[in-house]
Amino acid sequence: MNIEIRNLSKSYKSRTKTTQALRDVNLTIKSGEIVCVLGHNGAGKTTLVKSICGLLRPDQGAVYLDGRAVHENLSFAHGRCSAVLEGSRNIYYYLTAYENLRYFGLLNGLGHREIDEKAAHYLRLFALEQFRDVPVNAFSRGMQQKTAIIIALMKDPEVLLLDEPTLGLDILSSDAVIEILHQLASDGGRSIIITTHDVHLIERLNARMVFMNQGQVVRDSRLPELKRDGADRRYQITLQLRPGGPELPADADLRERQGDMAVFETADCRWLEQVLASEQLIQIEKCSQSVAEIYKAVMSGHA
Ligand SMILES: Nc1ncnc2c1ncn2[C@@H]1O[C@H](COP(=O)(O)OP(=O)(O)OP(=O)(O)O)[C@@H](O)[C@H]1O
Ligand SMILES: [Mg+2]
């Protein structure tokens, strides 16, 4: 399903204060795309997710699902979106895991057999099989989160909105979520939007990244492109230090020093050109930036 977000603004108003959470956001998300929304706490990520599925009414602008404005077609939007919202109660604590899946499955129009098949499949996948009949108020936070994700997946939605889905999940469960997201996206037809601070998840999804700051989209790029841009500018150098030989560049970021051997990073291409012919130059490697470094670099321009 295609998602068009046009000039979307949203503020929260109380008697004493107005907080502008989204400011003129424009985004197009195509069918089959996975988008990671990133940004500091309070950047507007959750507000964006809630606006897409129609839980919040925009002050200005609109979200369109296949051309239909969400706030004017709420039941259409609710029928096509599944959202797991961070910090919200997505499940009933006094029901067991299976009862939750059954209850929400029926609400979402699934048949009894389909519910049982899907419940068995996902409970196995998320290692919750033996907790099927345990009330979820006895679950750990991660187990509750997994139950909420299963409810969202069982609906097989055209738009899947996951607000910090791996928060509290152990590494195996987090990997199971990543595996499922890859499968869902490759099946095509579905659009998946994930807000996250989880660098492991971002690295593994290798997806489009939308950076938000103070309610605005400040960068929209694919992870491989961001990595390539960053990597082009930095090199890891191994250099033998000798009297009369080349000096380290002014920006050298020393990683290792053993005897007369130094390993450091630099972005000084002029220095590199000058020492290329030197015998002391042992090795040059392009640096690959980590997701955390990319995040800091993008956000540092928008402090
Ligand atoms: N219900 C609300 N009432 C008043 N202000 C709110 C409400 N929800 C969010 N805000 C404010 O709107 C801004 C955006 O909040 P939002 O929850 O969308 O940020 P976020 O990017 O999801 O942050 P986090 O990474 O902490 O989850 C913040 O300044 C927040 O304080
Ligand atoms: Mg949030």
Side-chain angles (χ1 to χ4, degrees):
M1 175 157 281
N2 288 308
I3 306 170
E4 286 275 333
I5 301 170
R6 287 286 154 260
N7 308 107
L8 187 70
S9 295
K10 174 71 193 172
S11 56
Y12 295 99
K13 297 183 185 83
S14 70
R15 267 195 298 135
T16 50
K17 197 174 151 201
T18 298
T19 306
Q20 191 72 38
L22 296 177
R23 298 162 199 258
D24 199 26
V25 172
N26 285 285
L27 276 177
T28 302
I29 297 158
K30 292 200 210 81
S31 237
E33 222 178 348
I34 301 187
V35 176
C36 290
V37 181
L38 285 79
H40 299 333
N41 297 126
K45 305 179 294 294
T46 299
T47 306
L48 180 68
V49 163
K50 287 181 174 172
S51 304
I52 294 172
C53 59
L55 285 175
L56 291 174
R57 198 181 170 82
D59 297 344
Q60 272 167 25
V63 177
Y64 300 91
L65 299 181
D66 275 352
R68 296 168 75 165
V70 166
H71 66 277
E72 289 167 359
N73 297 278
L74 284 177
S75 59
F76 169 79
H78 293 161
R80 275 143 192 91
C81 299
S82 256
V84 179
L85 296 169
E86 168 249 344
S88 317
R89 279 186 61 160
N90 295 292
I91 49 179
Y92 283 103
Y93 287 172
Y94 291 99
L95 298 182
T96 66
Y98 174 73
E99 285 165 351
N100 265 287
L101 302 186
R102 189 176 160 75
Y103 174 74
F104 285 102
L106 290 171
L107 266 190
N108 290 325
L110 304 185
H112 294 273
R113 197 159 143 204
E114 198 180 358
I115 290 174
D116 281 353
E117 280 171 11
K118 285 188 170 178
H121 169 72
Y122 284 117
L123 288 169
R124 190 168 346 106
L125 202 67
F126 283 97
L128 284 178
E129 258 171 328
Q130 70 269 42
F131 303 101
R132 178 186 186 275
D133 299 316
V134 176
V136 297
N137 62 7
F139 277 17
S140 71
R141 188 185 147 79
M143 290 157 76
Q144 289 172 353
Q145 175 73 347
K146 288 196 274 189
T147 311
I149 293 174
I150 294 174
I151 290 168
L153 291 172
M154 277 179 51
K155 189 174 163 188
D156 201 8
E158 289 172 69
V159 177
L160 180 61
L161 301 158
L162 299 173
D163 198 10
E164 310 206 16
T166 52
L167 199 70
L169 295 199
D170 59 53
I171 291 172
L172 288 182
S173 308
S174 165
D175 279 353
V177 171
I178 292 165
E179 195 55 46
I180 290 166
L181 293 177
H182 274 305
Q183 271 173 26
L184 289 176
S186 66
D187 285 353
R190 284 184 203 84
S191 312
I192 304 172
I193 299 171
I194 303 157
T195 79
T196 187
H197 298 281
D198 178 350
V199 289
H200 174 69
L201 173 75
I202 298 166
E203 186 81 59
R204 292 278 311 279
L205 287 176
N206 207 24
R208 178 174 163 196
M209 291 162 77
V210 169
F211 293 82
M212 292 190 68
N213 190 48
Q214 296 179 8
Q216 289 179 308
V217 172
V218 293
R219 183 90 192 250
D220 181 356
S221 221
R222 293 189 52 75
L223 180 59
E225 284 152 26
L226 287 164
K227 281 195 164 174
R228 204 173 47 228
D229 290 355
D232 281 349
R233 280 183 257 119
R234 283 189 80 75
Y235 298 89
Q236 180 169 293
I237 310 291
T238 308
L239 189 73
Q240 194 174 24
L241 302 171
R242 278 210 211 124
E247 304 259 322
L248 296 190
D251 72 339
D253 181 3
L254 200 62
R255 293 292 147 109
E256 210 181 319
R257 176 88 194 254
Q258 274 191 14
D260 62 353
M261 207 74 86
V263 179
F264 59 91
E265 285 187 15
T266 179
D268 188 342
C269 293
R270 289 187 132 186
W271 177 89
L272 251 180
E273 276 171 29
Q274 284 165 17
V275 301
L276 269 179
S278 153
E279 280 181 11
Q280 276 95 305
L281 183 63
I282 313 289
Q283 191 174 324
I284 308 176
E285 264 181 282
K286 266 190 179 174
C287 294
S288 78
Q289 271 191 312
S290 70
V291 169
E293 284 166 337
I294 289 172
Y295 179 85
K296 282 186 213 153
V298 170
M299 298 306 289
S300 68
H302 305 279

